[in-house]
């Protein structure tokens, strides 16, 4: 059972464009994390959100946690080729009882010069 | 560099052989996790340790898989009688018990011929 659905699955844009990636679930998460993964490497943690409605900014990246803690979004302003990669959301489900991360399906982003 | 390290980075083996992977977590982290990632998917949880105690195992972890963390520091993941379906990226992550932020290693890419 895939608890976290990401959309879009693939996004190809030109340098300078803005984009938003969505992470949705019917389950409530006690925390949610966004990672970026390069081919052949492990995921790199970008941000953790824990409070419903929370917004965090990391340079050109803006992360938001839904009020009900069931969804999240990642917005990138003025995308650059260095933003290319696989973006994964991952959460700790309030029902699992421990700290297992459940990962989304991933969004593969390609930013062309 | 005090990040999570994994060894080897790549392993090619023949079906039926045994393989063992090692993970060295961030030194002060008392939680250690193993995940498996197949092509085009997000990582899937395999097992988790708090100190030396293995507290949870996924149904994905068949009897051919065993993980240990004997002194609460590094961990090993062994796969016996490998099958082609075991081909995947095996990821290790670590965290503090007090903070639910998991930091991943670079992974071990296993190819079973």
């Amino acid at each position: 059972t895939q608890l976290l659905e990401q959309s879009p699955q693939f996004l190809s844009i030109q340098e300078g464009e803005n984009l938003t990636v969505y992470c949705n679930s019917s389950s409530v998460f006690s925390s949610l994390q966004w990672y970026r993964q390069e081919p052949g490497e492990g995921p790199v943690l970008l941000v953790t959100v824990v409070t419903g409605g929370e917004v965090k900014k990391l340079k050109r990246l803006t992360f938001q946690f839904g009020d009900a803690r069931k969804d999240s979004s990642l917005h990138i302003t003025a995308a650059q080729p260095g933003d290319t990669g696989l973006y994964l959301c991952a959460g700790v489900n309030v029902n699992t009882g421990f700290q297992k991360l459940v990962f989304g399906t991933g969004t593969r982003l390609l930013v062309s010069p | 560099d005090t990040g999570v390290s994994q060894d080897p980075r790549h392993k090619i083996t023949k079906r039926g052989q045994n393989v063992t992977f090692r993970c060295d977590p961030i030194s002060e982290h008392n939680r250690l996790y193993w995940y498996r990632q197949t092509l085009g998917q997000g990582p899937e949880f395999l097992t988790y340790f708090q100190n030396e105690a293995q507290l949870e195992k996924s149904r994905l972890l068949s009897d051919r898989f065993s993980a240990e963390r004997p002194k609460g520091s590094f961990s090993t993941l062994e796969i016996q009688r490998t099958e082609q379906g075991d081909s995947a990226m095996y990821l290790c992550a670590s965290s503090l018990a007090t903070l639910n932020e998991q930091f991943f290693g670079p992974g071990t890419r296993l190819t079973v011929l």
Side-chain angles (χ1 to χ4, degrees):
Chain A
T1 302
Q2 188 66 50
L3 293 181
L4 282 168
E5 297 288 340
Q6 285 185 238
S7 62
Q9 291 187 9
F10 182 77
L11 194 55
S12 180
I13 62 173
Q14 295 294 121
E15 182 176 3
E17 292 185 32
N18 301 333
L19 67 118
T20 301
V21 176
Y22 299 94
C23 176
N24 295 297
S25 176
S26 58
S27 302
V28 177
F29 290 87
S30 58
S31 67
L32 196 137
Q33 295 162 10
W34 285 91
Y35 291 85
R36 185 171 74 197
Q37 187 175 25
E38 306 283 346
E41 299 293 330
V44 175
L45 180 65
L46 298 175
V47 78
T48 299
V49 287
V50 297
T51 305
E54 183 176 3
V55 177
K56 281 192 175 179
K57 292 191 175 184
L58 183 66
K59 297 184 180 178
R60 294 175 294 100
L61 278 60
T62 302
F63 304 87
Q64 184 163 9
F65 202 12
D67 291 341
R69 292 184 290 138
K70 293 182 178 181
D71 55 85
S72 181
S73 65
L74 157 61
H75 182 79
I76 301 179
T77 303
Q80 299 178 0
D83 296 327
T84 293
L86 178 67
Y87 288 83
L88 293 160
C89 63
V92 176
N93 189 291
V94 295
N95 295 320
T96 59
F98 66 99
Q99 304 303 308
K100 175 181 80 172
L101 278 180
V102 175
F103 278 84
T105 47
T107 294
R108 191 164 299 280
L109 173 65
L110 175 63
V111 183
S112 302
Chain B
D1 183 24
T2 57
V4 178
S5 62
Q6 291 187 245
D7 183 71
R9 293 293 311 276
H10 305 275
K11 179 69 177 180
I12 300 174
T13 191
K14 293 183 179 179
R15 189 175 54 186
Q17 298 295 306
N18 300 342
V19 294
T20 300
F21 309 143
R22 176 180 171 122
C23 170
D24 287 88
I26 294 170
S27 58
E28 63 268 28
H29 285 184
N30 51 1
R31 287 185 175 171
L32 186 148
Y33 313 78
W34 285 98
Y35 292 82
R36 181 171 70 186
Q37 185 177 26
T38 53
L39 205 60
Q41 302 293 319
E44 294 178 292
F45 170 80
L46 292 179
T47 189
Y48 139 72
F49 291 84
Q50 179 150 320
N51 300 314
E52 66 276 7
Q54 188 174 18
L55 298 185
E56 187 71 23
K57 293 196 294 185
S58 163
R59 287 174 295 175
L60 291 175
L61 214 65
S62 75
D63 291 344
R64 297 184 297 104
F65 288 70
S66 62
E68 295 182 343
R69 195 183 183 197
K71 297 181 180 179
S73 56
F74 74 91
S75 175
T76 57
L77 177 67
E78 181 183 16
I79 308 174
Q80 295 181 329
R81 304 181 303 282
T82 53
E83 301 173 356
Q84 288 185 326
D86 297 331
S87 295
M89 173 79 92
Y90 289 84
L91 293 162
C92 175
S94 70
S95 74
L96 289 169
T98 52
L99 284 175
N100 187 31
E101 288 190 329
Q102 295 184 24
F103 295 87
F104 283 80
T108 295
R109 163 85 51 201
L110 172 66
T111 302
V112 182
L113 302 176

